[in-house]
Every structure is written in structure tokens, then in C-alpha cells.
């Protein structure tokens, strides 16, 4: 497949967490390992974003900066056109990163000792910010089916009734499994949360990264009766490869809740924004659609190729059906290894550094997460490595 996304860009010695800090974060010697763990691209961001950043840097003045009309309108127009989702400007609150915003909302909307519901396998930072803020992780494991993962609504209903948690963290599309929750699933979930006075914080940072033919349904697409108890977190960072240019938007229709969150941000001095982050996000939403469409085609072909190659070279490893993200959730349980031995085999034999499934909660044991947001040559190396595990 001919594509400029096939170009190999050396990210060593650029401060890249994925490439330069395997030893610090994974306690592994990364000198011979192919890093496929951190969920960021190995592609350059859109040329239109680079151009906008060059222009802003050439201006040369980097004083205190705020979100201007163009910033808001670019995001509003993007979601209206891309997802048929009408947003209101007054819903927007901003912070440098989704995870910090989630942590502050956990502090704001729960008390120490309260439970927060997560659905495993779950993004590891969810558990971290819950427990490090003195709250308890309440697990409502997803159901494994041949058609992908499903929400266990019976277990969720019992959990909400018995444990009475104030919060549920949702990930949509879901990291690591790639599920895009359907409208009927979200309505059923929201009906339960509404009945039990539970606020839903939906991490929707993967919303634009869909497989062909798939659509994204936000919690904000649902009936207005649910808007008083939903918060949606969004960002251009995952879509356009801008992870270190951190700015995210928390969309909060409930005016009282929104003001309380803004007050919390102000209490921490989080009232000034990085001008380069705003410039990049604005340009991406304004002029990045064609680039994203081309990228999505490339990612879809990467997934198709990887699944087919994996089935031929390492049939013991099965890939979970997904509708979105550029992540592959791989079931390695047929090897019969515990998680420590599985990682050792991946490092010593396959020469890979994936995300270990055990980092996604108990339901991730025996799985690994592979990042498909990379040039095809890296996927070929990954398949060759996995094929050596027999």
C-alpha cells in the first residue's frame, strides 16, 4: 500500500515517552524492543497544523493567552459536521488534558471513600486517578462475546443499587477494546444512572477514530433529560496526533455543575492556556478533515492487514472485534502463560513492548494491547515477533 503514512520517522532522542522512556515506565531495556504500547501516532500531524504553528511561532510573542472565538467555533463546527452533534459554546470548559480533568471531577463530585464505577478492561489511568484521590474502584466488568464486548446491565443495576456510587466513568469509543457504544446501549446505561442519581463522565477522546461505516454516539446525543448528569470530555489530541500539545474540552450542560468545575479549575490556578495548543487544535478542526479521512483509510487497512497476517502467523493470538480506535486488543491466553511470563516472552522472544493487559484491570489478564497507529513496517515486525511465540 502506497501512502505517506508509511514513512518511517525516527522518534528517538525527541523526549518521546513511547520510544525514549521504556526503561523508566516499563522497567525494561528498550534498546532492542519495538515500542507498541503508548497510544500515540508515529505519523506527523497534519501539514495545516504545522503551518499554523510555524506562523504562530514566527509571531514570537507568547504572553498569557485565552480561547478566542475561532477556537470555540472550530470545535462546534467539527462536531456538527462530523458527528451531527450540536454543541453550545457555554458548555465548554477547558483544561490541559483529559485525565487531569477527570481527576478534578472525581474530587468535585465524590467524597473520599466513595466508589466510582469503571467497566473493565479499563484504561489504567482511570483506576489510578480514582484510587490516588482516595476513592474506591467499583468494577462492572464488560461481557466477552464473539461479537465483541458488551455492557453487563444486570450487574450494573445491582452494583448501582447496592453500592450507591456517585460516579461512573465511561470510555466511548472504548480503550482498549475498540467498542463504540450504540445509542440503545447508552440510553439503557443512562436510564440506570438517572434512576440511581449517578453522574456519568464520558471520555470521548477517541470519537473521530472510527472504522469504515461506523458512527459515533455521544452521551450528548441522548435525550435532554439526561444532560443534567452527563459530562463529555473531548480533545483534538488523539485525532490529529497532538498529545503533548495538551488542551481538552469538558462539555457540561448542567450550568451549576459547570460553574463548580470552573471554580475548581480557578482554585488551582488553571485559568491560562497554552497558545500553541489552542493554535494546533483550532487549525486541526478547521482544516484537518481531508487529512483525517486519509488517515482513517490507512488505519483501517492496517487493521485488516494485521488481523489477516496474525491469523496466519500466530493463530493462537486472537484479535477482538472493534468499531473504533487504532488499538488492537489481543487475546494471548492460549499460550497458557501468566502475565509475568507472557511479558518476558514478548520481550525476550518477540522483541516487543506492548501494553500488557494486566494494566487494564483483572479482565485484561492474558491480553495485550498493540498500537496500530504506525507505519506498516512496524506491524510486519510485530507479526514476525508474535509468530516466534509458539
Amino acid at each position: 500500500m502506497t501512502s505517506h503514512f508509511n514513512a518511517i520517522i525516527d522518534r528517538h532522542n525527541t523526549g518521546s515517552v513511547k520510544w525514549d522512556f521504556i526503561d523508566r515506565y516499563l522497567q525494561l531495556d528498550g534498546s532492542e524492543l519495538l515500542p507498541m504500547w503508548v497510544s500515540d501516532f508515529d505519523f506527523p500531524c497534519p501539514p495545516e497544523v504545522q503551518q499554523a504553528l510555524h506562523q504562530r511561532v514566527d509571531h514570537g510573542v507568547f504572553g498569557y493567552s485565552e480561547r478566542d472565538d475561532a477556537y470555540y467555533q472550530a470545535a462546534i463546527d467539527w462536531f456538527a459536521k462530523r458527528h451531527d452533534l450540536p454543541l453550545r459554546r457555554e458548555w465548554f470548559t477547558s483544561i490541559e488534558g483529559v485525565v487531569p480533568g477527570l481527576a478534578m471531577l472525581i474530587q468535585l463530585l465524590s467524597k473520599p471513600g466513595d466508589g466510582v464505577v469503571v467497566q473493565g478492561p479499563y484504561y489504567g489511568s482511570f483506576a489510578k486517578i480514582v484510587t490516588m484521590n482516595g476513592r474506591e474502584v467499583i468494577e462492572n466488568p464488560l461481557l466477552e462475546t464473539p461479537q465483541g464486548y458488551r455492557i453487563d446491565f444486570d450487574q450494573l443495576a445491582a452494583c448501582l443499587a447496592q453500592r450507591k456510587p456517585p460516579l461512573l466513568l465511561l470510555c466511548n469509543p472504548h480503550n482498549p477494546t475498540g467498542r463504540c457504544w450504540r445509542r440503545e446501549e447508552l440510553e439503557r446505561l443512562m436510564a440506570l444512572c438517572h434512576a440511581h442519581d449517578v453522574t456519568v463522565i464520558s471520555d470521548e477522546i477517541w470519537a473521530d477514530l472510527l472504522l469504515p461505516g461506523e458512527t459515533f454516539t455521544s452521551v450528548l446525543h441522548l435525550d435532554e433529560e439526561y444532560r443534567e448528569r452527563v459530562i463529555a470530555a473531548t480533545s483534538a489530541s488523539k485525532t490529529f496526533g497532538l498529545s503533548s500539545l495538551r488542551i481538552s474540552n469538558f462539555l457540561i450542560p448542567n450550568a451549576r455543575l459547570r460553574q463548580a468545575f470552573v471554580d475548581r479549575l480557578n482554585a488551582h490556578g488553571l485559568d491560562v492556556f497554552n497558545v500553541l495548543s489552542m493554535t494546533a487544535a483550532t487549525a486541526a478542526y478547521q482544516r484537518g478533515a481531508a487529512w483525517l479521512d486519509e488517515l482513517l483509510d490507512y488505519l483501517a487497512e492496517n487493521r485488516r492487514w494485521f488481523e489477516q497476517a496474525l491469523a496466519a502467523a500466530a493463530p493462537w493470538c486472537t484479535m477482538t472485534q472493534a468499531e473504533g480506535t487504532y488499538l488492537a486488543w489481543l487475546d494471548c491466553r492460549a499460550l497458557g502463560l501468566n502475565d509475568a511470563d507472557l511479558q518476558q516472552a514478548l520481550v525476550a522472544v518477540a522483541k516487543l513492548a506492548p501494553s500488557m493487559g494486566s494494566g487494564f484491570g483483572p479482565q485484561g489478564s492474558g491480553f495485550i494491547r498493540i498500537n496500530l497507529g504506525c507505519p506498516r513496517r512496524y506491524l510486519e515486525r510485530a507479526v514476525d515477533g508474535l509468530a516466534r511465540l509458539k
Side-chain angles (χ1 to χ4, degrees):
M1 185 170 68
T2 301
S3 170
H4 60 85
F5 292 113
N6 276 326
I8 300 294
I9 298 175
D10 186 1
R11 297 183 63 189
H12 288 103
N13 303 312
T14 63
S16 165
V17 171
K18 181 194 291 186
W19 288 87
D20 292 334
F21 291 94
I22 293 176
D23 55 345
R24 178 185 299 181
Y25 286 94
L26 301 184
Q27 290 76 55
L28 298 171
D29 178 1
S31 58
E32 295 184 356
L33 301 180
L34 176 65
M36 305 198 78
W37 57 299
V38 177
S39 57
D40 66 7
F41 292 147
D42 289 307
F43 313 125
C45 72
E48 296 82 0
V49 173
Q50 296 180 50
Q51 181 184 29
L53 288 170
H54 281 301
Q55 290 174 349
R56 189 63 186 82
V57 169
D58 288 344
H59 182 265
V61 180
F62 304 102
Y64 293 118
S65 301
E66 241 297 7
R67 300 152 295 174
D68 59 12
D69 291 342
Y71 174 86
Y72 289 105
Q73 198 59 50
I76 290 169
D77 291 345
W78 178 267
F79 280 91
K81 185 174 183 179
R82 199 86 187 179
H83 302 296
D84 193 26
L85 178 60
L87 301 178
R88 301 177 189 172
R89 177 166 169 165
E90 63 265 25
W91 293 353
F92 281 70
T93 62
S94 303
I95 185 174
E96 292 186 356
V98 167
V99 173
L102 295 176
M104 287 205 168
L105 284 166
I106 287 170
Q107 296 169 8
L108 178 65
L109 299 175
S110 64
K111 305 185 301 297
D114 280 348
V116 178
V117 179
V118 297
Q119 302 189 92
Y122 46 76
Y123 177 42
S125 289
F126 281 6
K128 180 177 74 173
I129 60 175
V130 169
T131 57
M132 293 190 74
N133 278 290
R135 277 65 170 173
E136 179 186 0
V137 171
I138 298 178
E139 301 210 14
N140 182 60
L142 299 174
L143 298 171
E144 265 189 84
T145 78
Q147 294 75 40
Y149 284 81
R150 299 291 183 266
I151 297 173
D152 188 340
F153 287 105
D154 291 339
Q155 170 65 23
L156 179 60
C159 168
L160 299 185
Q162 295 167 11
R163 303 294 299 276
K164 303 187 185 307
L167 292 174
L168 181 146
L169 297 184
L170 181 70
C171 191
N172 183 31
H174 186 261
N175 174 11
T177 70
R179 268 304 316 274
C180 294
W181 304 117
R182 306 300 187 199
R183 186 183 186 98
E184 55 270 22
E185 292 174 301
L186 293 174
E187 287 176 337
R188 189 173 177 186
L189 182 142
M190 285 307 310
L192 280 172
C193 290
H194 185 76
H196 292 279
D197 196 28
V198 176
T199 298
V200 174
I201 309 174
S202 183
D203 176 357
E204 300 182 353
I205 198 171
W206 295 93
D208 297 315
L209 294 159
L210 306 175
L211 290 168
E214 299 294 341
T215 58
F216 166 69
T217 301
S218 167
V219 290
L220 298 174
H221 276 114
L222 306 181
D223 292 345
E224 288 195 23
E225 66 176 308
Y226 298 131
R227 288 184 182 167
E228 290 301 294
R229 60 183 68 253
V230 298
I231 300 167
T234 71
S235 176
S237 63
K238 202 65 80 174
T239 304
F240 297 102
L242 307 173
S243 298
S244 63
L245 291 172
R246 292 165 65 91
I247 187 166
S248 62
N249 299 314
F250 280 74
L251 305 169
I252 310 178
N254 182 319
R256 177 192 56 78
L257 178 55
R258 184 170 64 247
Q259 187 58 55
F261 184 52
V262 171
D263 291 344
R264 179 61 59 99
L265 295 177
N266 288 335
H268 286 78
L270 297 173
D271 55 356
V272 175
F273 302 95
N274 185 316
V275 67
L276 297 183
S277 301
M278 293 185 291
T279 296
T282 302
Y285 281 144
Q286 286 177 336
R287 303 192 294 278
W291 179 91
L292 177 60
D293 290 338
E294 185 180 354
L295 173 69
L296 292 178
D297 288 342
Y298 186 84
L299 293 175
E301 180 59 18
N302 262 6
R303 186 179 292 272
R304 185 207 64 77
W305 181 90
F306 185 78
E307 185 170 19
Q308 186 176 60
L310 192 67
W316 51 265
C317 184
T318 57
M319 187 166 159
T320 300
Q321 181 177 325
E323 295 91 33
T325 80
Y326 51 79
L327 308 171
W329 185 239
L330 305 182
D331 185 350
C332 302
R333 291 174 292 186
L335 287 175
L337 301 175
N338 62 36
D339 292 311
D341 289 342
L342 175 59
Q343 183 178 47
Q344 176 60 28
L346 289 163
V347 169
V349 180
K351 301 298 183 183
L352 293 179
S355 292
M356 298 302 299
S358 54
F360 296 84
Q363 292 75 37
S365 181
F367 287 78
I368 61 173
R369 192 192 73 178
I370 291 285
N371 181 351
L372 303 178
C374 59
R376 177 66 55 82
R377 195 184 310 172
Y378 293 160
L379 298 186
E380 293 169 354
R381 285 178 57 186
V383 169
D384 289 345
L386 291 170
R388 294 194 290 270
L389 300 179
K390 296 179 181 178

